[in-house]
């Protein structure tokens, strides 16, 4: 079992910045992918950014150049630095942890943290 604890959400004005953190604990392997998803009201949950154990990253086109994902393997923690925030970034952000195993791997989710961008 893997547990994920998120922090860092809040209310910011357009153009502001936030940094989200997600700490993993439990049965953690050395090979895993962590990422951030978000879901706005009336929309599908979408991938924002992901990072592999080797450091490869992937970003949604809508956040490229503004958001940066990183990880600290010693702390089993992933971060999402969000700059130049826009109202359309408003959503609940969920941390995801994936590790291989079984038939299709194992996926775990954080509790979600609200990010609101408004003037």
């Amino acid at each position: 079992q893997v547990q994920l604890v998120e922090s860092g959400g809040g209310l910011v004005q357009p153009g502001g910045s936030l940094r989200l953190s997600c700490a993993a604990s439990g049965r953690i392997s050395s090979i895993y992918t962590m990422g951030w998803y978000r879901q706005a009201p009336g929309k599908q949950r979408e991938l924002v950014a992901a990072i592999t154990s080797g450091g490869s990253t992937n970003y949604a086109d809508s956040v490229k150049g503004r958001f940066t994902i990183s990880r600290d393997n010693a702390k089993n923690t992933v971060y999402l630095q969000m700059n130049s925030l826009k109202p359309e970034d408003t959503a609940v952000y969920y941390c995801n942890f994936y590790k291989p195993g079984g038939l299709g791997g194992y996926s775990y989710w954080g509790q979600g943290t609200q990010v609101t961008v408004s003037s």
Side-chain angles (χ1 to χ4, degrees):
Q1 188 69 266
V2 174
Q3 296 81 43
L4 304 174
V5 179
E6 301 179 26
S7 63
L11 172 65
V12 296
Q13 295 184 348
S17 298
L18 283 174
R19 189 172 82 149
L20 306 183
S21 299
C22 177
S25 62
R27 301 186 66 180
I28 302 171
S29 63
S30 60
I31 302 175
Y32 59 90
T33 297
M34 296 187 73
W36 291 94
Y37 291 71
R38 68 185 181 187
Q39 187 167 25
K43 294 186 177 181
Q44 295 282 97
R45 184 174 299 186
E46 64 173 347
L47 175 68
V48 178
I51 185 167
T52 68
S53 298
S56 297
T57 58
N58 186 45
Y59 296 92
D61 288 340
S62 60
V63 306
K64 286 181 178 178
R66 300 188 297 120
F67 292 9
T68 302
I69 189 170
S70 61
R71 63 192 289 167
D72 185 337
N73 290 330
K75 297 181 178 180
N76 294 318
T77 299
V78 64
Y79 306 93
L80 185 67
Q81 179 66 47
M82 304 184 293
N83 299 325
S84 301
L85 284 162
K86 304 175 181 179
E88 49 263 46
D89 294 318
T90 297
V92 177
Y93 284 69
Y94 297 91
C95 178
N96 174 261
F97 176 101
Y98 173 83
K99 64 178 181 180
L103 186 59
Y106 300 91
S107 186
Y108 302 89
W109 294 92
Q111 78 279 7
T113 184
Q114 178 70 47
V115 172
T116 302
V117 185
S118 176
S119 59

